[in-house]
Amino acid sequence: MGKHLLEVKNLKKTYPLRGTSNKLFAPKEHMIAVNDMSFYIEEGEIYGLVGESGCGKSTTGRAIVGLNKMDSGEILYNGKDLCKLSDREFRPLRKDLQMVFQDTLSALNPRGRIGDILEETLIIHGMGDAAKRRETVLEILQKVGLSEEHYFRYPHELSGGQVQRLGIAGALIIQPKLIVCDEPVSALDVSIQAQILNMLMDLQKELRISLLFISHDIGVVRYISDRVGVMYLGSMMEEAGTEELFENPLHPYTKALFAAAPDPYIQRREVAALNGEQPVRTEKFAGCAFCTRCPYATEKCRQEEPKLRDVKSGHKVACHLAE
């Protein structure tokens, strides 16, 4: 086992709910977006985080790069707790922790040329003179499959796949140690998805960086990840090495994700259909996060929240009935 580059411990995040009661002075309720999340990422590893929309994946990823402040818990980067740092103390670490957004185009200056946008990052971090910055930008554009002519283009002149390549270039240009990829291929055609994923994997191996790959597509996660964590309603349901998880899923939610996946390479298993939609998880919510939709839920599941525990080496599950 390698060195832990990043370790998340007991992370929790809530958001206030408004308009949930007709009473004028009703007590304020909070929605639990992330609840007691714990996992780690090793140096040079691709860790996949998968789950339905609204399960807290992006909130967790944004917390790692300092875009979300959490209520409690720890995010340890090389032993330093990021949650306890002020914005000023966090700023030097931004060079090591970068993010690729799902909607990269909205994160770019529409009036700036691509070369200027990428060079601005280098200027902020004080990296190189004008000639060196231009050379660095042209080099990173080539690495992500763009050409020198894109240096002078505007973001709106690029296709969807090219925009995502630009987002990856913007994250790589300052040589980070960890990149959080938040649904980077979900809006792309399948053929373009494969190109972007292959490029990411090649760059990850070449540059020896770590990736937190966030997606709702379990087939994409299987393709790119070394280990996978399955999230539901803010909690980690199951975690294992990629092949172990896909060969031997233990949690009913993981099995339901496999049953719903259109990927022909994912082994189908008999699983009862899920009923209803994801509930809003408030502080009043009791029991297992999945108990309202689980076809196997017992009274214990509705009263006592299961802890994420080892059922075999490297395979964890949060389910009372896993065995």
Side-chain angles (χ1 to χ4, degrees), residues 15 43 57 74 80 121 140 156 230 239 254 265 279 321:
Y15 293 103
E43 290 184 350
K57 307 184 301 295
E74 297 176 307
K80 185 178 291 186
T121 305
I140 201 65
H156 69 269
V230 180
E239 182 188 65
T254 308
Y265 297 102
L321 309 175

Side-chain angles (χ1 to χ4, degrees), residues 106-257:
S106 66
L108 301 173
N109 178 5
R111 297 186 178 184
R113 295 185 188 272
I114 288 168
D116 295 332
I117 291 171
L118 293 177
E119 283 190 29
E120 184 179 9
T121 305
L122 298 174
I123 292 171
I124 290 171
H125 290 276
M127 299 174 67
D129 56 20
K132 181 61 177 176
R133 289 195 297 269
R134 180 185 173 92
E135 180 185 340
T136 302
V137 169
L138 292 176
E139 182 181 339
I140 201 65
L141 286 177
Q142 184 179 19
K143 279 184 179 294
V144 299
L146 299 176
S147 64
E148 187 174 345
E149 69 166 299
H150 292 103
Y151 183 96
F152 301 100
R153 290 192 184 183
Y154 292 95
H156 69 269
E157 297 179 305
L158 303 182
S159 67
Q162 288 173 333
V163 168
Q164 286 307 93
R165 291 176 186 271
L166 177 57
I168 294 167
L172 288 173
I173 197 167
I174 53 176
Q175 301 171 356
K177 300 291 192 300
L178 172 70
I179 298 179
V180 177
C181 300
D182 187 11
E183 302 272 12
V185 297
S186 62
L188 304 178
D189 294 339
V190 174
S191 61
I192 305 299
Q193 282 187 14
Q195 294 175 22
I196 299 293
L197 292 174
N198 288 331
M199 181 192 70
L200 267 175
M201 294 169 71
D202 291 341
L203 289 171
Q204 183 266 339
K205 291 176 182 175
E206 177 187 345
L207 303 174
R208 292 300 298 167
I209 56 178
S210 301
L211 299 181
L212 172 59
F213 192 90
I214 296 170
S215 179
H216 64 266
D217 188 334
I218 201 161
V220 168
V221 168
R222 181 184 192 180
Y223 183 72
I224 196 172
S225 304
D226 299 312
R227 289 188 302 120
V228 178
V230 180
M231 276 189 79
Y232 181 79
L233 277 190
S235 295
M236 187 76 81
M237 298 285 102
E238 189 167 1
E239 182 188 65
T242 303
E243 291 309 312
E244 165 64 21
L245 184 75
F246 280 79
E247 290 296 325
N248 185 33
L250 298 176
H251 200 282
Y253 180 62
T254 308
K255 295 177 182 178
L257 286 180

Side-chain angles (χ1 to χ4, degrees), residues 244-307:
E244 165 64 21
L245 184 75
F246 280 79
E247 290 296 325
N248 185 33
L250 298 176
H251 200 282
Y253 180 62
T254 308
K255 295 177 182 178
L257 286 180
F258 289 175
D263 191 335
Y265 297 102
I266 294 178
Q267 185 176 350
R268 294 290 189 272
R269 288 174 171 82
E270 291 297 326
V271 60
L274 302 184
N275 296 316
E277 301 291 333
Q278 290 186 81
V280 176
R281 189 178 188 182
T282 67
E283 291 161 322
K284 298 178 181 177
F285 195 99
C288 174
F290 190 55
C291 69
T292 58
R293 300 176 70 192
C294 180
Y296 314 109
T298 65
E299 194 59 33
K300 182 179 180 180
C301 300
R302 298 182 182 92
Q303 295 179 358
E304 181 182 334
E305 183 178 2
K307 298 297 182 183

